[in-house]
Every structure is written in C-alpha cells, then in structure tokens.
Amino acid sequence: MPRTAAPPAPLSSVTRVADSDRRRTSASVILRSVLEHGPVARSTIARLTGLSPASVTDHCARLTGLGLIREAAVPRRSNGVGRPHVPVDLDDSRFVVGGVHVAVPYTTVALLDLRGRVVARRELKHRDLDPAEVLARASDGLGALLDEAAGCRALGVGVAAGGWVDRDSGTVVEHPLLGWRDVPVRDMVGAHTGLPVQVDGHARALVNAERLFGRARGSLSVLHLFVGNVVDAAFATHDEVHHGPRSQAGAIGHLPLAGGTEPCDCGRVGCLQVELSERTLCRRARRAGVIDGVNPMHVVAAADAGDPVAAELLRERARMTGRAVGLLLDVLNPERVVVTEVGVLYRADCLTALREEVGAERSAAVSPSSFPDSVLAMAGGAVALDVLYRDPLASPVRRAA
C-alpha cells in the first residue's frame, strides 16, 4: 500500500490554537500595560497596545475576574463631560509569588507582590550543601513566610541559581561550587510546597526583572552580567531571553579576561570566573589584612569606613568587570547593560571605574542593578513573575483565584 502524508489538522483545530495564542498574547500585553501605566483607562490601554477597545474591555474583565487587576477607586472624567473613565490598576493585595535563590553560602527565600516588591524575606545559611536538605529548608522557609503573610495567596514559586540551569526540565544540571549535578529542583520544591514551581538561572531571571520592573523596561535588547561567587550573563532581545539548547546560554565563566592573573581549574589563567569571583575578592582582602572572613560586604564596609586598600580592591574588581562588559558589548551590542556586582551596586567610585573601562562612548548604556537591596530575592521571584506576565490566563492563576 503506498504511503501517504498525514492529513492536515482540521481547520477548526488550527483556528482554536491560533485563537488561544492570540488571547494569551493580548492578555499579557494588557497586564503589562497596567503594570507600567496604571492606574490607566481602558481607552488608553487600547491606544498604547493597538488592541481594539472591545478586546481590551473583554480582557480587563477576565483579568479582574482572576483578581489580577481592579478598578481604581476614583473615576476620572474626560473634559468634565460624558461618562467617567474608570481606570484600572494592578490588584497587588491578593496574590504573592515565592522566590528562592540558592547561593553558595546561603539561600534567600522571599515573597514578592505583583509589582515585584519584596513583601518578606529571610536568609537561610547552609548547614550543608546536600540539595535535598537545602531545598527542604527553603520550602519550609517559604511556608513560614506565607503563614505570616495574612490574606495573601501564593500563585507559585520561582527558583533561581547560578551555574547551568535547564529551565524546561526544572533542573540544576551542574553547579560546581555547590557540588550539585542533575538536581530536579522543580520536582523537589513542588513536592514540598504543593505549588507550581518554575526554575531558571539567576542572570536570566534578573534580565526579566529589569524588563518588567527596572530601568530596562522598554529596551529592545538587554545584557545582564552577574558577578558574585558565580559569574554568568544573560541576553534578551525583543522580549525574549536567549536560553539556547538545554539553557546553556550565558556560561561565560571561562572566557579569557585581558590582564587576568588568577589560575583556573581548567588549566588556563585569567578566566572570568576566577578573576571576578567574590571568593577571589575576599581572598585578596584577607591577604591584605582588610577582613578575616568570606563576606564581600565586609570589604565594602571597610572601604566605606575609609580603608584605602579595601576601596582599591573594589575599584580594581570593578575595572576588571568593566573589561568583561566591554568584551560582551563587542560581541552582542545590546542597547542596555545591567551589572550586578557588589562594589558597583553600593559605591559610586566603583561604578565610575567600570564605566571608564567600558569607554566614554558606551558607558551611558551601562547601569547597576535596579534592585541593589533585594537582588537575590528578586531573582527568585522574577522567575515566577515572568511566567505570570507572559501568560496571565494560565491555570496556576485560575486555581489560586
């Protein structure tokens, strides 16, 4: 019998899929417009988004029914005549998301509202690095925060970490500094909390946070460079963060840094990871007698107290970070660059040193994180909030409403 091609999908099925995608996209655009401009009239949303007034009215009704937006308390009249324009705004009183950020020395657990504001936060110092122990404690910590947040319901949990994180499978594939490999984070946290869980790398999570809630809102392309114990990057264009196969994009730790002197485990000298790591900063600070521990904030505190050696250590790290930014700018040419690095976050001289290294013609595009006092809490929460703003009609919202 001759082989024949499979029959095309029924037109009605194709139409349903297209309609579903269109509804999801329209709902996302409207919710983000309310986030950015609210309180805002429905007519203004239609003008800003290009959607029809009828579509905006329909989607606003859906989003109101889910508890994501609400009518503002005071109607506004247009030129004092006709029916009042009743603006809509986010309803940030009902729902929160949980955020978990797993760092090398501790885990940050937090609750964030729909505007990306941290409602509650707690740091849990690691007793050991066994993933089952770390994630169970994080889940219990989130539960305690939710118990204390009277009247708020959790839509879900976002988990962020450094290293190689596969978003699609919800797995930390490899995190050498934690010693984690193939850890099914989504399944483990979901089993503990009973909530929908999303997992992503912290640099990618922070790109989304900047685009939703920070200075990068409206930018066509954004690069985020995260410089902590782990050094990695993320790049977004046209509202999409690049993940690559199995979410391996952004692994820049072994890129060579000009002028670097630190030996790397890979056998080379001057890799970004070893040159810029907080471990390296703290080791140099201990050797110089500035601190006696492993907390980079103690180096910042010493510099703020007038220690010239601490200040120079931070400025030199910022200069080397600027060199890394320059390398990434050459390759990717983003409209905006956001840097999360401890000196750049808290000291103007470090930001100046970084921008000088980048060069005057490109320095205006470079800024520190928009969330200096909550960057780790934001990283975890942004994983969940990005999913919400991309598909506000999804089932986790419906179950919580």
Side-chain angles (χ1 to χ4, degrees), residues 31-315:
L31 186 60
R32 291 179 63 170
S33 294
V34 175
L35 168 68
E36 184 171 355
H37 302 286
V40 58
R42 293 169 181 82
S43 58
T44 303
I45 295 174
R47 177 173 54 81
L48 291 170
T49 64
L51 296 170
S52 71
S55 178
V56 170
T57 297
D58 177 61
H59 281 293
C60 283
R62 291 171 183 265
L63 296 171
T64 300
L66 292 171
L68 297 177
I69 68 174
R70 60 186 173 189
E71 291 188 342
V74 182
R76 296 184 301 193
R77 289 189 175 272
S78 175
N79 299 322
V81 297
R83 295 183 61 188
H85 293 283
V86 182
V88 292
D89 203 357
L90 282 180
D91 187 347
D92 53 19
S93 65
R94 299 179 59 183
F95 297 130
V96 294
V97 298
V100 177
H101 179 272
V102 184
V104 175
Y106 59 87
T107 294
T108 301
V109 296
L111 302 179
L112 285 76
D113 69 12
L114 299 190
R115 298 183 189 276
R117 298 176 301 200
V118 176
V119 175
R121 172 177 46 193
R122 188 169 297 165
E123 291 180 358
L124 307 172
K125 187 173 177 60
H126 295 323
R127 295 192 289 231
D128 63 55
L129 295 178
D130 175 66
E133 157 76 8
V134 169
L135 297 175
R137 289 188 70 212
S139 300
D140 291 343
L142 275 181
L145 292 182
L146 282 168
D147 288 343
E148 297 167 5
C152 292
R153 302 182 64 184
L155 292 176
V157 179
V159 183
W164 177 6
V165 181
D166 182 3
R167 176 189 62 171
D168 293 337
S169 67
T171 301
V172 172
V173 180
E174 187 176 24
H175 195 308
L177 296 183
L178 290 176
W180 288 14
R181 190 173 186 86
D182 295 323
V183 178
V185 173
R186 182 172 63 203
D187 294 342
M188 294 171 74
V189 175
H192 278 285
T193 63
L195 293 168
V197 178
Q198 306 291 333
V199 183
D200 209 345
H202 56 201
R204 292 190 291 264
L206 288 167
V207 162
N208 286 324
E210 292 287 345
R211 290 169 48 254
L212 283 170
F213 311 111
R215 299 187 188 98
R217 180 184 282 170
S219 298
L220 294 178
S221 57
V222 186
L223 168 71
H224 183 272
L225 176 62
F226 187 97
V227 182
N229 280 306
V230 174
V231 179
D232 51 17
F235 183 57
T237 56
H238 296 288
D239 206 34
E240 290 292 336
V241 177
H242 181 60
H243 282 75
R246 290 207 71 191
S247 299
Q248 292 189 75
I252 61 170
H254 292 289
L255 289 178
L257 190 59
T261 59
E262 291 287 330
C264 182
D265 291 341
C266 73
R268 293 180 293 182
V269 173
C271 293
L272 286 185
Q273 175 68 40
V274 292
E275 284 297 328
L276 301 180
S277 169
E278 288 177 350
R279 289 186 170 189
T280 301
L281 170 67
C282 290
R283 177 172 51 77
R284 290 172 175 173
R286 288 194 303 272
R287 189 169 58 203
V290 173
I291 62 171
D292 57 7
V294 294
N295 189 336
M297 289 304 298
H298 293 171
V299 184
V300 176
D304 290 347
D307 187 323
V309 176
E312 182 53 32
L313 284 171
L314 291 170
R315 284 192 295 268

